[in-house]
Amino acid sequence: MTRDGARIVIIDSLNGYLSAMPDERFLILQMHELLSYLNQLGVLTILVLAQHGLVGPMQTPIDISYLSDAVLMLRYFEFEGSVRRALSVVKKRSGAHERWIREFRLSGRGLAIGPPLQQFSGIFTGTPVYTGTRTPLLADDDSADG
């Protein structure tokens, strides 16, 4: 890494690391050391941790949020029979904090972020309730990749 001058490191996912470790404590210690080292080198490190449960209550196998400068929560939700994706910043160590849950879409054209989902409640519980009168979501795009 130092030899190649990497500026960004992405670990996808920590679930694999956790499966390979005999004890959660070892993973936390290793992540703390690795993140401290990469931070000293000025490397942006992105960690991905999959949560258990596609819908309904989600469980996280390990909590390392205290090591993070920012935590983004991604969640699936259903609206009118289609599966949508929601994004929220649940932790940001410095600067202004975005407090809204927004729909997002990844496609061949890039990332699209929708307006705040103010007419929904319960998106991150897995049982969203729509209370609005009009569709506040991103327009359907038949050519979207995901």
Side-chain angles (χ1 to χ4, degrees), residues 17-37:
Y17 270 79
L18 184 57
S19 296
M21 293 280 176
D23 190 332
E24 176 182 314
R25 292 173 295 155
F26 295 123
L27 176 64
I28 292 173
L29 178 60
Q30 184 180 28
M31 286 297 108
H32 185 271
E33 291 174 355
L34 177 63
L35 295 173
S36 295
Y37 174 71

Side-chain angles (χ1 to χ4, degrees), residues 44-92:
L44 169 66
T45 307
I46 299 173
L47 305 175
V48 177
L49 178 65
Q51 295 180 312
H52 300 291
L54 187 61
V55 292
M58 296 181 83
Q59 298 175 352
T60 303
I62 187 171
D63 181 15
I64 61 166
S65 62
Y66 73 94
L67 296 174
S68 305
D69 290 329
V71 175
L72 303 180
M73 174 81 78
L74 308 177
R75 180 73 177 188
Y76 293 105
F77 70 102
E78 179 266 335
F79 181 72
E80 294 183 344
S82 68
V83 177
R84 306 288 189 135
R85 294 176 183 97
L87 165 73
S88 181
V89 177
V90 294
K91 176 185 176 184
K92 186 166 186 263

Side-chain angles (χ1 to χ4, degrees), residues 84-133:
R84 306 288 189 135
R85 294 176 183 97
L87 165 73
S88 181
V89 177
V90 294
K91 176 185 176 184
K92 186 166 186 263
R93 203 177 296 276
S94 63
H97 188 275
E98 167 68 84
R99 63 185 185 101
W100 297 107
I101 298 171
R102 296 174 183 268
E103 182 184 11
F104 79 97
R105 179 179 297 133
L106 293 172
S107 72
R109 290 189 293 262
L111 176 67
I113 304 287
L117 296 173
Q118 293 175 306
Q119 298 178 24
F120 283 89
S121 64
I123 288 176
F124 284 150
T125 67
T127 54
V129 175
Y130 180 64
T131 59
T133 57

